[in-house]
Amino acid sequence: MTQIKGCRFARLALSAAAFALAAGAAGAQTADVTFSRDVAPILQRSCEGCHRPGEMGPMSLTTYEEVRPWARAIRGKVVERSMPPWHLDKTVGIQDFENDNSLSDAEIDTIARWVDAGAPRGNPADLPPSIDWPEEDVWRLADRYGREPDLVVSSDPWTQTAEGQDQWWQPILETGLTEDRWVTGIEVRPSERRITHHSVVYLQQEEQPGDHEAAVDVPGRGSYLTEFAVGKIGDVFRENTGKLMKAGSRIAFDNHYHSVGEELVDSTAVGIWFHPKGYVPKYRVYGGALGVRQAMDTLDIPPGKVTVHHAYVPLALPARLENYQPHMHIRGKAMSMEAIYPDGRVEMLNHVANFDFNWHVNYVYTDDSAPVLPAGTVIHLTAWHDNTEANRANPDHTQWVGWGQRSYDDMYHAHVNITYLTDDDYEQIVADRRAGRTDD
Ligand code: HEC
C-alpha cells in the first residue's frame, strides 16, 4: 500500500510539471486520468483474476484494446459496486482480508473520471508490466510444499449446456483413506473455469460426539472443508494446525455452474497435502456451518415479506475464526456476524449488506485480523431474507419458503473455519496483538 501511494505522489509531481508546460489546458484534472497510468493497475489487481482468457468473466480486460469497448459498462458496474463481487459493508467491522480485491472510493472515482473523459489511452510507456498469471493446469500449492498433492479426488465430469439456468452438481466421492491423516494444505482446481462460479467442498466422516459439536455439519452434506471461489483456491493451514481427515472419509462437492454460450465440461479436482504420517498438529481446525441447526428449526419466510432470523452459537473454548462466508439461497439479502463477549460487550465482526446468491464470496481474515475470542463468547448471526417482488432474484413472491437443500428452498448459516485455542495461547495472542497496537 505505502509503495503504491509513493508512486502516485511521484507521478503527481511529474504531471504537475507537464501541466505547467501545457499552459492553460482547461479541465486538465479530468484529462489527466489515463488508461495506461491510472486505470490499468486497478484492472490488473481487481478484475483480471476473472476477466482474462479461460476464466469466468465474459470478456478479457487485460489490454486497452480489450477494455475500450467496455468502458461505459465498466463505469456502471464499478460505480454501483457490483464489480468486483465484494458485498461487505465497508463501514463496520473488520476490513482486513487476505483476498480483498474490492475497489476503494478513490479507485472508483478514477475509473469514472477516466470514462467521462472519453477513456483516453495515455502514454503506453506508463503501463504497468503485464501480470504473469499461473498456468491453469498446475497445482499452485505444489511449489510451496515441494511436491504434487498426496491425494487427489475429482468430481465426475459435468456438462453445462451452452444456454440455460445455473446448475448445482453435488457428487460424493470416497477419499480411499485407510488411516486418519492430518491435512496441511488443500487446493481446489476446476478443469473448466469459464463455467465454474464456485465449488464448496465438504468432508463427510464419523466424528466423536464432542468433535461433532465443534464441526457443525450441514445436514446431508458434511463439514465445510474448503472451496474454490472469488479470489480463493483453497487453504494453507497455519503453523501447528490442520484439518483431520479420517479413514473411510468422503468428499462431497457442491459445484455451481453457469452457462456461457458454449457447451463445456468440468471436472473439479481437490488436491490435498498431508502432514507427515504420525505427526499430530497442536490444533485441529474445524469447518463449521454456524447457525445451521437453528436455521433448520426456525426458518419461516412468509410470502411477500422481508424476514429477520437470529442464531446464537456459544464457544465453549477460546477460538480464532479464520474466515466468514455467509450462505443463503436466492431470497438471501444480508447477514451479519457479531461477537457477544462474556463481559456483555458486543462487537460487529462483519456485515454482508448486499448478499448475492450468485457469488459465494468468502471473506478470509489475515493473521492479524482474524477474530480471537475468549471462551464463553456467543457468536450471533442475523440473517435477512427478501421474499418480496422487489427481490429481482425471487422466482415467486407468493410462496412460503422454509429450510431445505434445493435452491428454491432457503437456508442460512456461515461457513467458518474455527481453531479452538488453549487458554494460554489465547492470552498470548491477545497480549501480542495489544503490544503490536501500542507500537504503532
Ligand atoms: C470473481 C470474478 C470477477 C471479478 C473479480 C470481476 N468480474 Fe466482472 N464479471 C464476472 C462475471 C462472471 C460476469 C458475468 C456475470 C455477471 O454479470 O454476474 C462479469 C460481468 C462483468 C461486466 C458486465 C459484462 C456484460 O456482459 O455486460 C462488466 C462490465 C464487468 N464484469 C467488469 C468488471 C470489472 C471492471 C472488474 C474489476 C473492477 C470485474 N468485472 C471483476 C466476474 C468477475
Side-chain angles (χ1 to χ4, degrees):
M1 262 339 253
T2 355
Q3 235 178 349
I4 293 170
K5 276 191 195 137
C7 292
R8 281 258 168 78
F9 283 128
R11 285 186 195 126
L12 276 180
L14 276 180
S15 57
F19 176 56
L21 287 175
Q29 218 194 350
T30 309
D32 207 19
V33 184
T34 73
F35 176 80
S36 305
R37 190 188 53 208
D38 308 296
V39 174
I42 302 175
L43 302 189
Q44 279 191 344
R45 185 181 73 89
S46 293
C47 320
E48 274 190 27
C50 298
H51 289 278
R52 63 176 204 272
E55 297 293 328
M56 67 170 97
M59 69 288 191
S60 176
L61 296 176
T62 64
T63 64
Y64 182 71
E65 285 69 23
E66 287 172 350
V67 172
R68 182 64 190 86
W70 291 98
R72 290 251 137 240
I74 289 171
R75 187 190 194 286
K77 294 282 183 189
V78 302
V79 167
E80 73 180 24
R81 289 193 174 274
S82 63
M83 283 287 151
W86 189 262
H87 306 120
L88 205 71
D89 184 335
K90 289 194 167 205
T91 65
V92 290
I94 299 164
Q95 295 299 330
D96 202 9
F97 298 94
E98 267 177 24
N99 59 333
D100 186 354
N101 65 353
S102 67
L103 301 181
S104 65
D105 291 346
E107 288 171 323
I108 293 174
D109 183 57
T110 297
I111 291 177
R113 283 194 292 132
W114 171 70
V115 175
D116 293 343
R121 179 197 291 266
N123 182 356
D126 291 340
L127 278 174
S130 54
I131 297 186
D132 201 2
W133 289 99
E135 296 290 322
E136 263 149 42
D137 53 354
V138 298
W139 293 103
R140 296 194 203 171
L141 296 184
D143 270 354
R144 178 186 188 105
Y145 292 109
R147 62 181 193 277
E148 294 293 291
D150 301 313
L151 174 68
V152 175
V153 178
S154 299
S155 66
D156 310 329
W158 169 266
T159 304
Q160 181 71 8
T161 52
E163 310 284 341
Q165 301 279 314
D166 286 15
Q167 300 292 337
W168 281 262
W169 172 228
Q170 305 184 315
I172 298 174
L173 292 118
E174 300 291 334
T175 58
L177 283 186
T178 52
E179 56 185 331
D180 294 359
R181 294 297 302 267
W182 287 92
V183 177
T184 168
I186 320 176
E187 180 174 342
V188 188
R189 210 175 80 198
S191 67
E192 187 47 85
R193 285 165 200 249
R194 284 176 287 175
I195 55 171
T196 310
H197 247 227
H198 78 273
S199 169
V200 183
V201 183
Y202 295 91
L203 181 64
Q204 299 187 343
Q205 61 191 11
E206 294 294 320
E207 297 282 359
Q208 304 301 323
D211 290 346
H212 199 256
E213 218 34 57
V216 203
D217 286 359
V218 180
R221 299 272 74 209
S223 70
Y224 167 73
L225 182 63
T226 188
E227 81 204 299
F228 171 85
V230 182
K232 183 156 190 274
I233 57 161
D235 286 288
V236 170
F237 296 108
R238 290 170 219 262
E239 216 189 328
N240 296 330
T241 68
K243 275 198 176 171
L244 177 59
M245 207 179 238
K246 297 189 176 184
S249 54
R250 288 178 299 177
I251 299 257
F253 288 90
D254 198 343
N255 296 346
H256 177 183
Y257 294 117
H258 197 69
S259 290
V260 294
E262 183 183 342
E263 183 177 289
L264 293 168
V265 179
D266 175 66
S267 162
T268 292
V270 200
I272 297 159
W273 286 263
F274 293 121
H275 281 296
K277 268 187 196 179
Y279 171 85
V280 177
K282 185 166 178 194
Y283 293 115
R284 176 173 173 190
V285 180
Y286 290 93
L290 303 186
V292 70
R293 304 231 175 98
Q294 280 154 37
M296 285 177 79
D297 290 346
T298 63
L299 195 67
D300 174 10
I301 311 177
K305 294 281 189 245
V306 173
T307 58
V308 188
H309 289 82
H310 300 274
Y312 298 88
V313 185
L315 296 174
L317 300 169
R320 183 173 57 211
L321 311 185
E322 312 289 357
N323 69 296
Y324 174 48
Q325 187 191 37
H327 183 96
M328 295 183 277
H329 290 174
I330 34 191
R331 286 154 178 105
K333 178 181 168 70
M335 197 192 291
S336 67
M337 177 167 76
E338 288 166 299
I340 305 173
Y341 290 92
D343 63 3
R345 205 160 44 89
V346 177
E347 183 184 349
M348 173 61 79
L349 299 176
N350 278 115
H351 179 49
V352 168
N354 304 306
F355 180 82
D356 179 344
F357 177 54
N358 282 313
W359 294 107
H360 289 247
V361 184
N362 187 359
Y363 303 91
V364 184
Y365 298 120
T366 64
D367 279 3
D368 294 331
S369 75
V372 173
L373 307 169
T377 300
V378 174
I379 297 182
H380 173 204
L381 294 171
T382 309
W384 288 263
H385 291 84
D386 183 350
N387 195 13
T388 68
E389 233 177 327
N391 176 359
R392 277 185 292 165
N394 194 349
D396 187 354
H397 65 279
T398 66
Q399 291 288 322
W400 177 86
V401 180
W403 195 93
Q405 290 283 356
R406 300 168 309 162
S407 56
Y408 291 123
D409 302 323
D410 226 290
M411 44 169 73
Y412 77 90
H413 58 258
H415 289 302
V416 178
N417 276 324
I418 303 184
T419 311
Y420 292 98
L421 306 168
T422 61
D423 290 330
D424 285 353
D425 285 1
Y426 167 76
E427 298 295 344
Q428 187 62 48
I429 295 172
V430 170
D432 287 350
R433 287 190 175 183
R434 208 166 274 148
R437 264 180 216 145
T438 40
D439 281 353
D440 57 37

